[in-house]
Amino acid sequence: MSPKSTHPQSSNSPLVARRALRDGVYDAILEKLLDGSTPPGSSLGIDSLARELGVSPTPVREALVQMEHTGLVNRVALKGYKVAPPLSPEQVTELFDARIMLELGAVERAVAHTEDLVPELRAAHARHVLAAHRVRKLRGGDATATDNSDLREYFAADWAFHLLIIQAARNRFMAAMAESLSAHVHRMRQTVDHGTFDIDQAIAEHTAILAAFESGDPEAPARAMRTHLEGVERRSLDDA
């Protein structure tokens, strides 16, 4: 009798394929939550989502259960799932408390890798500035944007700037915490009135963070990051 195989499970196994499908469905539903097509309070039908995504109801149900755990959707008895309501002022405050603790800790660690970080941070800041220019161009004066793709690009560039600093801390658990917070950061932005923006302030504050890293002062980046996060929190609460 031949011995039992001790090889690890094949990457083509049904279990791995199912997980990959569930993760893909999760990402697709998350994009719907963040692109403005399913605003807070919208119903999320499992069968209709399955038809739209071309999958069976099972991975849709699994993805929604996962989203319920993160607070992005709520399950209502006898009514299925709904997109969670906008963050309350208390939740916004808690979110920024978490961001300040995480990002200031990341900045303090990233300072040791400033030489490697600064060139990438300059490039990320340039992309953020270009995305901001596109928003101003499409939404300034009498111009009217036909969708929210410009905002999604802007917010993605904004978050990418922060994520570079978090990754420069070289701590995998900090990076995982940032990934967990990212959906809630984007969700918070959905609650802000699309007619008012803090683009100019955010660009100026990112410029100050970049300059702080370039200065060589090891304490300057943390001060600049705190000023930025506290400013974003204040503006978010004013618009909530």
Side-chain angles (χ1 to χ4, degrees):
M1 180 182 295
S2 61
K4 292 182 178 180
S5 171
T6 58
H7 291 297
Q9 199 167 36
S10 166
S11 60
N12 294 321
S13 71
L15 179 59
V16 172
R18 178 178 172 183
R19 286 177 178 170
L21 179 60
R22 179 198 63 199
D23 291 346
V25 169
Y26 181 96
D27 290 342
I29 299 175
L30 180 61
E31 177 63 22
K32 289 176 65 64
L33 267 60
L34 301 180
D35 69 6
S37 64
T38 51
S42 299
S43 295
L44 296 168
I46 292 175
D47 291 336
S48 60
L49 283 170
R51 287 193 299 272
E52 179 182 343
L53 299 175
V55 298
S56 72
T58 298
V60 174
R61 186 177 295 105
E62 292 173 347
L64 290 173
V65 168
Q66 186 178 351
M67 285 185 171
E68 183 183 13
H69 291 161
T70 64
L72 292 172
V73 304
N74 294 330
R75 189 172 186 276
V76 182
L78 304 179
K79 294 185 178 179
Y81 290 92
K82 290 183 177 292
V83 180
L87 293 178
S88 67
E90 292 78 14
Q91 289 174 315
V92 170
T93 297
E94 289 177 5
L95 176 60
F96 277 96
D97 282 346
R99 285 193 67 181
I100 287 171
M101 286 187 285
L102 171 63
E103 296 197 48
L104 291 190
V107 166
E108 291 170 356
R109 290 159 179 78
V111 165
H113 310 290
T114 295
E115 186 175 348
D116 294 331
L117 172 61
V118 164
E120 294 185 359
L121 206 57
R122 287 174 181 152
H125 183 51
R127 289 190 291 270
H128 188 208
V129 171
L130 286 174
H133 174 71
R134 182 166 182 261
V135 171
R136 293 191 194 99
K137 183 177 180 180
L138 290 176
R139 296 170 185 268
D142 296 329
T144 302
T146 57
D147 58 31
N148 290 323
S149 61
D150 59 321
L151 285 177
R152 294 200 300 274
E153 178 188 355
Y154 170 79
F155 289 139
D158 182 301
W159 182 247
F161 181 90
H162 287 263
L163 194 57
L164 266 178
I165 297 171
I166 295 168
Q167 291 169 340
R170 301 185 183 181
N171 183 305
R172 70 191 68 190
F173 297 104
M174 280 186 162
M177 291 165 67
E179 180 66 25
S180 176
L181 286 176
S182 64
H184 295 284
V185 171
H186 289 299
R187 178 181 164 215
M188 178 201 69
R189 287 165 170 158
Q190 287 182 311
T191 70
V192 177
D193 182 357
H194 282 184
T196 60
F197 302 105
D198 68 343
I199 286 178
D200 292 339
Q201 297 98 318
I203 292 295
E205 288 160 5
H206 279 202
T207 301
I209 293 168
L210 174 58
F213 274 105
E214 292 172 329
S215 73
D217 179 349
E219 297 181 359
R223 290 196 299 268
M225 181 62 78
R226 178 180 287 277
T227 296
H228 172 47
L229 292 176
E230 289 179 347
V232 178
E233 178 183 9
R234 183 175 60 255
R235 295 189 292 269
S236 299
L237 289 171
D238 286 344
D239 284 334

